[in-house]
Amino acid sequence: MSVLIYAENSKGKLKKSSFEAASYAYSVANMLNTDAYAISIGEVSNEELEKLAKYGIKKILTVNTAQMHSFVNQAYASVIAEAAKSLSSDVVVLSATFSGKALAPRLAVKLQAAYVDGAISLPTNDASFTVRKGAFSGKAFADVSMSVANKVIAINPNSFPIAENAQPAVVEAFAPSVKDTDFRTIVKEIIQAVDKVSLPEAEIVVSAGRGLKGPENWGMIEELADLLGAATACSKPVSDAHWRPHSEHVGQTGIAVSPNLYIAIGISGAIQHLAGVSSSKVIVVINKDPEAPFFKAADYGIVGDAFEVVPKLIAAVKEFKATHA
Amino acid sequence: MKVLVCISNVPDTTTKINFNDDKTVFNATGVQFIINPYDEIALTRALELTEAQGGTVTVINIGDPSTDVTIRKALAIGATDAVRINSVARDAFFVATQIAAYAKDQGFDLILTGRESIDYNGAQVASLLGEMLDLPSISILKSLQIEGGTATLEREIEGGKEVITCPLPLVASASEGMAEPRIPNMRGIMSARTKPLTVVEPVEVPNFQHIIKFEKPESRGQVKLVNADEVNKLVDLLHSEAKAI
Ligand SMILES: Cc1cc2nc3c(=O)[nH]c(=O)nc-3n(C[C@H](O)[C@H](O)[C@H](O)COP(=O)(O)OP(=O)(O)OC[C@H]3O[C@@H](n4cnc5c(N)ncnc54)[C@H](O)[C@@H]3O)c2cc1C
Ligand SMILES: Cc1cc2nc3c(=O)[nH]c(=O)nc-3n(C[C@H](O)[C@H](O)[C@H](O)COP(=O)(O)OP(=O)(O)OC[C@H]3O[C@@H](n4cnc5c(N)ncnc54)[C@H](O)[C@@H]3O)c2cc1C
């Protein structure tokens, strides 16, 4: 028995979500009186992988062959399944990132495992092994009992604190036996803004809606986001009108986010919008209409014109940063 | 080209979610059901592709007879025919097993799902199907082109996209931007009534997990309003009280 994490990297660096998964797995391993291990796939240095030791991982398997350098969910699922079998891991933990979600169901089928996606709690310490996840697009939680021996849990990014539990760890090369048919999809190109904070993983999100009137007014939104180290997001009508890309659209039919801080500017707070953002820890709303429904779902609010309030907020954050540097 | 589009019957996005008294079952009383919005996108793209290149679009749903209304809507949008696996959809694994059992000898070139259902938000069915049918699966498409038996797809990733090629057959899940969902017209609605809807009995599926309880999130307390002339105060509160910056 053991707990295995899939440690995902981006361009050779372990993702923050991988440290969250490590911290989660360490807690689960403690509960089950066993150890937590990791498997990394792709071009990652051993030195980088050793960082996982700080979060309680005892052994790290690495698959760093050229064939495995770009992500193919089918092949990655095969490798993780083989690693889980060789380490007798009955619980596999990964982060519910785009790639994590694309491979985890395949992994669950291979391991004949129960699978919970987007977990927001640790499993209960009993035979029911119950994990909580969001359902109905943020309008409810579901407690899911995983009643078979093998389990795969994809945890929600930003839902678990990273906890240090340093101990010595070894890094070992792992040679999986992948099949040709695992590699039918070929990655031709990756188009990614490296300097931008990615929306699903962002700790702070600055989001704006139709109240901003047009795409030319997003300069102040980006400036505020840059200052706060935040990702930018928008409401659906904004991306439908092509003011902003679809990848920024949050809500029930867009990306669901759960940052520490969500700042909504000129967004009315429609039920479909709230569905994707309501699990944010702190919500700030800036809207000129005191009756905007979003104020009912917010922790802090300013009733005012965004074109006056946002520049003031930028100045206030600059001042704050100058005094708290 | 033979395309299969999986459609889920879900509560309308404006639905207030309620459960029965012991919080174990979703209370569907008075709830309006719709085609899962992402599945409409998948269906529209499938129709665009087959209209341009020839072929058929079959829709499949796992549901009891009450979901026929939603299936007829998909036929009205333009699907060629429909299949309903006659069972309540227990969970994503159950759904995928039923679809795989039906699809395995039908020779589909392309199987499309939505990125996730807006009720149980599993985002699983496409990858499960890929594994069960030993086909490649690509999740969360931003675009899909097909030429000469090969698909070129863009998949969403954190902060960008991946451009992928893959030979048919394959399974993929659709998301926003891939197509503008079509609204059925009168001719579509009329012809939907006579298009074939085949009902198939389900296969047996082991149960690996189950939902033991639902809960609604606690509501936030009263909002704290800050005067628009005292924006500094908001920054202070976010730092010292909310510990968010
Ligand atoms: C099936 C379906 C799915 C949907 N999914 C989503 C989804 O995933 N995400 C989503 O966001 N929406 C979704 N919607 C749309 C949703 O119902 C709302 O229409 C949408 O969220 C409204 O966007 P908005 O708040 O930007 O615009 P509006 O509702 O037009 O609100 C604009 C707000 O800006 C305020 N405002 C105007 N000028 C200023 C100013 N100068 N300063 C400050 N405030 C100002 C106004 O008071 C108003 O409250 C969906 C709808 C449907 C039917
Ligand atoms: C009365 C009732 C009770 C239910 N109770 C539960 C429950 O307790 N737990 C639970 O997990 N689910 C339950 N469901 C089923 C649920 O509606 C989904 O069909 C199923 O769970 C898959 O959801 P998902 O979010 O995991 O799928 P996802 O993987 O998010 O769905 C992705 C895609 O798969 C396809 N798909 C999903 N469902 C179907 C379907 N039924 N038929 C055809 N294609 C489909 C669609 O293309 C969809 O876009 C219930 C359904 C009903 C009618």
Side-chain angles (χ1 to χ4, degrees):
Chain A
M1 197 204 295
S2 65
V3 180
L4 176 67
I5 70 157
Y6 164 53
E8 190 179 334
N9 74 85
S10 173
K11 300 193 165 71
K13 294 276 168 234
L14 289 170
K15 290 186 153 194
K16 182 185 131 216
S17 58
S18 297
F19 299 122
E20 292 171 358
S23 307
Y24 184 96
Y26 178 80
S27 296
V28 177
N30 250 356
M31 188 179 101
L32 300 174
N33 277 322
T34 178
D35 290 326
Y37 305 135
I39 170 118
S40 159
I41 310 173
E43 206 169 2
V44 193
S45 71
N46 285 7
E47 191 189 351
E48 176 72 11
L49 291 174
E50 278 159 15
K51 288 183 184 162
L52 288 165
K54 201 159 139 194
Y55 308 101
I57 302 295
K58 277 208 171 142
K59 184 191 286 185
I60 301 129
L61 302 184
T62 171
V63 181
N64 191 351
T65 51
Q67 191 186 30
M68 292 304 233
H69 282 179
S70 57
F71 177 79
V72 175
N73 60 342
Q74 195 173 356
Y76 276 40
S78 295
V79 171
I80 300 167
E82 203 176 319
K85 282 177 189 156
S86 85
L87 293 166
S88 312
S89 302
D90 33 20
V91 182
V92 181
V93 176
L94 72 170
S95 183
T97 59
F98 286 106
S99 295
K101 284 195 209 175
L103 76 81
R106 300 196 76 123
L107 176 63
V109 174
K110 286 179 194 291
L111 296 174
Q112 293 189 290
Y115 170 51
V116 170
D117 60 286
I120 54 167
S121 80
L122 284 165
T124 52
N125 192 2
D126 58 33
S128 80
F129 211 81
T130 301
V131 173
R132 175 164 281 202
K133 64 159 267 175
F136 296 96
S137 304
K139 296 177 194 170
F141 300 115
D143 291 337
V144 188
S145 154
M146 306 173 89
S147 40
V148 289
N150 290 337
K151 290 112 178 159
V152 176
I153 305 174
I155 63 172
N156 222 22
N158 263 330
S159 296
F160 295 94
I162 294 172
E164 291 191 15
N165 293 290
Q167 52 188 311
V170 289
V171 179
E172 282 174 15
F174 182 64
S177 56
V178 283
K179 304 191 299 269
D180 285 347
T181 52
D182 280 339
F183 294 94
R184 284 170 289 195
T185 60
I186 297 163
V187 179
K188 290 285 179 194
E189 196 182 352
I190 297 177
I191 301 161
Q192 201 169 18
V194 275
D195 51 337
K196 275 192 76 178
V197 185
S198 108
L199 181 55
E201 293 172 308
E203 287 179 24
I204 303 180
V205 173
V206 177
S207 187
R210 208 146 52 175
L212 280 219
K213 312 280 189 276
E216 66 281 5
N217 296 324
W218 248 262
M220 62 180 186
I221 302 299
E222 286 181 343
E223 186 180 356
L224 179 60
D226 280 349
L227 266 176
L228 292 168
T232 48
C234 67
S235 65
K236 178 171 155 61
V238 165
S239 63
D240 283 349
H242 303 292
W243 295 0
R244 302 295 293 175
H246 276 299
S247 54
E248 283 197 4
H249 155 202
V250 292
Q252 183 155 14
T253 53
I255 290 179
V257 292
S258 45
N260 284 333
L261 175 59
Y262 184 79
I263 304 178
I265 302 164
I267 302 176
S268 57
I271 187 166
Q272 298 98 343
H273 185 85
L274 296 180
V277 306
S278 59
S279 58
S280 307
K281 275 164 213 113
V282 178
I283 295 182
V284 173
V285 168
I286 299 169
N287 195 306
K288 70 172 186 193
D289 174 9
E291 301 297 325
F294 219 145
F295 283 116
K296 291 205 176 68
D299 300 287
Y300 301 97
I302 294 182
V303 178
D305 186 334
F307 297 101
E308 289 163 24
V309 175
V310 175
K312 282 187 199 162
L313 184 56
I314 290 171
V317 172
K318 280 187 182 157
E319 198 186 312
F320 168 81
K321 288 193 112 179
T323 49
H324 289 79
Chain B
M1 187 167 43
K2 239 183 120 177
V3 187
L4 181 67
V5 178
C6 309
I7 56 167
S8 181
N9 180 50
V10 297
D12 177 16
T13 55
T14 56
T15 307
K16 296 238 170 6
I17 301 298
N18 286 304
F19 302 103
N20 68 348
D21 290 342
D22 64 358
K23 293 193 193 160
T24 54
V25 183
F26 170 63
N27 184 349
T29 317
V31 171
Q32 180 79 32
F33 281 85
I34 57 168
I35 303 183
N36 191 37
Y38 299 116
D39 306 355
E40 259 176 1
I41 297 173
L43 175 58
T44 305
R45 188 66 193 134
L47 293 169
E48 290 169 357
L49 287 168
T50 51
E51 281 161 9
Q53 309 183 1
T56 56
V57 178
T58 302
V59 291
I60 187 167
N61 167 261
I62 289 61
D64 63 19
S66 71
T67 66
D68 283 352
V69 184
T70 296
I71 297 173
R72 290 283 173 207
K73 185 168 170 217
L75 291 170
I77 292 172
T80 320
D81 58 358
V83 176
R84 179 168 61 79
I85 312 288
N86 187 26
S87 171
V88 168
R90 198 167 70 205
D91 58 31
F93 184 78
F94 180 90
V95 165
T97 309
Q98 303 301 342
I99 299 171
Y102 172 77
K104 71 174 190 302
D105 347 285
Q106 299 279 336
F108 289 108
D109 302 296
L110 175 66
I111 303 179
L112 292 178
T113 74
R115 74 180 277 174
E116 65 184 58
S117 73
I118 62 166
D119 51 3
Y120 293 86
N121 307 109
Q124 306 182 23
V125 170
S127 299
L128 289 173
L129 272 177
E131 191 62 31
M132 290 168 179
L133 295 168
D134 191 22
L135 293 178
S137 63
I138 297 115
S139 294
I140 315 193
L141 298 191
K142 294 163 87 86
S143 73
L144 165 64
Q145 312 294 335
I146 291 176
E147 227 186 277
T150 302
T152 303
L153 324 93
E154 291 177 315
R155 172 178 89 92
E156 183 155 1
I157 55 172
E158 283 78 8
K161 61 187 177 186
E162 243 173 44
V163 185
I164 297 169
T165 61
C166 183
L168 301 181
L170 64 89
V171 187
S173 74
S175 81
E176 284 230 307
M178 206 172 111
E180 284 301 324
R182 284 187 193 172
I183 296 159
N185 58 24
M186 199 35 91
R187 227 182 82 218
I189 295 168
M190 297 305 285
S191 68
R193 292 189 192 151
T194 53
K195 285 181 178 172
L197 193 172
T198 313
V199 178
V200 177
E201 289 309 311
V203 295
E204 292 239 3
V205 181
N207 204 353
F208 289 171
Q209 63 207 68
H210 58 280
I211 294 180
I212 52 174
K213 198 169 95 213
F214 290 101
E215 207 163 304
K216 292 210 265 183
E218 280 177 36
S219 64
R220 286 168 201 267
Q222 183 70 27
V223 58
K224 261 193 195 171
L225 289 180
V226 175
N227 195 306
D229 296 323
E230 299 172 319
V231 176
N232 285 324
K233 238 189 200 164
L234 175 68
V235 176
D236 285 345
L237 284 168
L238 288 178
H239 177 65
S240 52
E241 187 177 87
K243 315 244 180 284
I245 56 174

